[in-house]
Amino acid sequence: MTTTAVTPRIFSGIQPSGAPHLGNDLGAIRNYVRLQAEYEAIYCIVDYHALTSTHDAATLRTRTREMAATLLSLGLDPERCTLFVQSHRPECTELAWLLTTVTPVSWLERTPTYKEKKQNQPDDINHGLLTYPVLQAADIILYKATMVPVGRDQAAHLELSREIVRAFNNRYGDTFPEPQAVYTEAPVVLGTDGVRKMSKSLGNAIEVLADPETVRKQVMGMVTDTTRALRKDPGHPDTCNVCQLQRFFGDDHEGLWEGERTAQTGCVDMKKLLAARITDHYAAARERYLELMATPDRVDEILAAGAERLKPLATATMAEVRERMGLR
Ligand code: AMP
Ligand code: TRP
């Protein structure tokens, strides 16, 4: 008997919540690009999720298209992966509702990102923030994806997705595979403040597709090695955020770090170099991005085709789920 190898399906989602930053690319998007060559890959711009923080319709519409153009310019190839907008395939919302009935509220209340949101947007603790991870689980399992490329800040969400799958399978029989997170080698990327994770909403981001002057300003504003008072003091590259980021732009970071340790170079030198390297690295993507934004119909066509392609899969899963749950 022969067994047919089935290509694992991967899925990831990204919020259309503003300009993409280094954390997004180093933590996740690089893996999206790499994995599309090897697997059946589905990438989703999660506009429903974004509604938990973005409440202006025109802004959300614009950002959704911008995120699509961003992902395409950074290397997603519509011939090799499926790129779509979450709300264009709304079956996930029905599945999310059904999954809430197997998800204890306590699991959601203890989610770290929910606790963070309570601090970061205290005047807007909407119910969507609490159920956010349930919708995320629905996104993934609607397509029965098994691998999920995300940044390390998403570890708790992915664990919750797995728990929700187990809870569903326990109650209704084996229906969904447990999804696994796939990480890049980057840690959670810290923001320009050097303390909190880089995030669009915290104002500590380095925007990868911004014009060179903006990137330069963002990098030059970074907090460096706070223990280094004077230029002649030795630097500590292991704990300096600028030095850490150098690992991802060039293969000479060991030499650069030695220069820091021996105080041959200073923080300003390192920041100038990093800004130049980031700008160089993303120059071609930035050009592609501007071209795509000048042809928005092309972007919209790619997104529409993506959602259409997924329809049979989504329909099949929902039929199976409704049957298992007694909804007929
Ligand atoms: P978001 O913009 O929150 O939708 O994030 C999109 C992707 O980027 C997710 O896979 C995140 O895990 C990843 N990501 C966002 N911020 C960071 C960060 N500071 N470090 C590493 N990965 C990140
Ligand atoms: N929660 C993710 C983030 O904030 C975005 C997301 C939504 C996602 N649905 C997903 C990621 C499904 C992976 C799989 O970055």
Side-chain angles (χ1 to χ4, degrees), residues 20 38 80 83 90 98 116 123 127 143 149 165 174 178 181 186 189 210 212 214 240 258 313:
E38 294 165 52
R80 296 184 144 190
L83 177 65
L98 299 175
E116 274 164 32
D123 301 328
H127 192 276
Y143 304 103
V165 163
D174 228 5
E178 281 182 34
V189 177
T214 303
C240 168
E258 194 49 32
L313 270 179

Side-chain angles (χ1 to χ4, degrees), residues 11-15 46 49 132 136 139-140 148 150 154 157:
F11 183 101
S12 196
I14 187 163
Q15 289 201 46
V46 294
H49 280 104
Y132 185 108
Q136 177 162 350
D139 285 335
I140 301 167
V148 184
V150 279
Q154 290 293 309
H157 281 165

Side-chain angles (χ1 to χ4, degrees), residues 164-230:
I164 292 172
V165 163
R166 287 197 283 270
F168 185 97
N169 288 348
N170 266 336
R171 192 175 288 173
Y172 295 107
D174 228 5
T175 310
F176 297 112
E178 281 182 34
Q180 300 274 358
V182 183
Y183 300 121
T184 63
E185 73 280 16
V188 173
V189 177
L190 297 181
T192 50
D193 51 16
V195 188
R196 296 176 299 174
K197 84 168 177 183
M198 189 175 286
S199 164
K200 293 159 203 169
S201 55
L202 295 177
N204 64 0
I206 297 171
E207 294 163 37
V208 291
L209 298 183
D211 61 278
E213 185 48 25
T214 303
V215 173
R216 200 190 61 82
K217 280 199 185 124
Q218 289 171 341
V219 175
M220 295 314 285
M222 284 177 80
V223 173
T224 52
D225 179 358
T226 48
T227 58
R228 191 176 186 186
L230 299 171

Side-chain angles (χ1 to χ4, degrees), residues 13-30 32-33 45 62-76 189-192 198-211 214-215 218-219 249 278-279 281-282 285-290 292-293:
I14 187 163
Q15 289 201 46
S17 48
H21 56 72
L22 268 186
N24 298 138
D25 188 38
L26 302 181
I29 299 173
R30 283 184 177 192
Y32 296 5
V33 175
I45 301 168
T62 308
R63 286 181 176 170
T64 299
R65 187 185 279 145
E66 285 172 353
M67 183 48 80
T70 296
L71 293 172
L72 293 167
S73 66
L74 288 173
L76 288 197
V189 177
L190 297 181
T192 50
M198 189 175 286
S199 164
K200 293 159 203 169
S201 55
L202 295 177
N204 64 0
I206 297 171
E207 294 163 37
V208 291
L209 298 183
D211 61 278
T214 303
V215 173
Q218 289 171 341
V219 175
F249 299 94
I278 291 175
T279 315
H281 181 88
Y282 292 104
R286 182 173 146 69
E287 265 187 38
R288 282 195 294 275
Y289 176 77
L290 295 174
L292 281 163
M293 287 307 286

Side-chain angles (χ1 to χ4, degrees), residues 11 13-17 44-55 60-61 64 84-96 126-129 131-136 138-139 142-143:
F11 183 101
I14 187 163
Q15 289 201 46
S17 48
C44 180
I45 301 168
V46 294
D47 54 352
Y48 286 138
H49 280 104
L51 286 173
T52 58
S53 303
T54 304
H55 304 313
L60 184 60
R61 240 188 304 277
T64 299
F84 78 113
V85 177
Q86 189 181 30
S87 65
H88 295 177
R89 207 60 283 145
E91 290 88 342
C92 63
T93 57
E94 183 189 353
L95 184 55
N126 56 76
H127 192 276
L129 287 174
T131 34
Y132 185 108
V134 185
L135 181 58
Q136 177 162 350
D139 285 335
L142 180 58
Y143 304 103

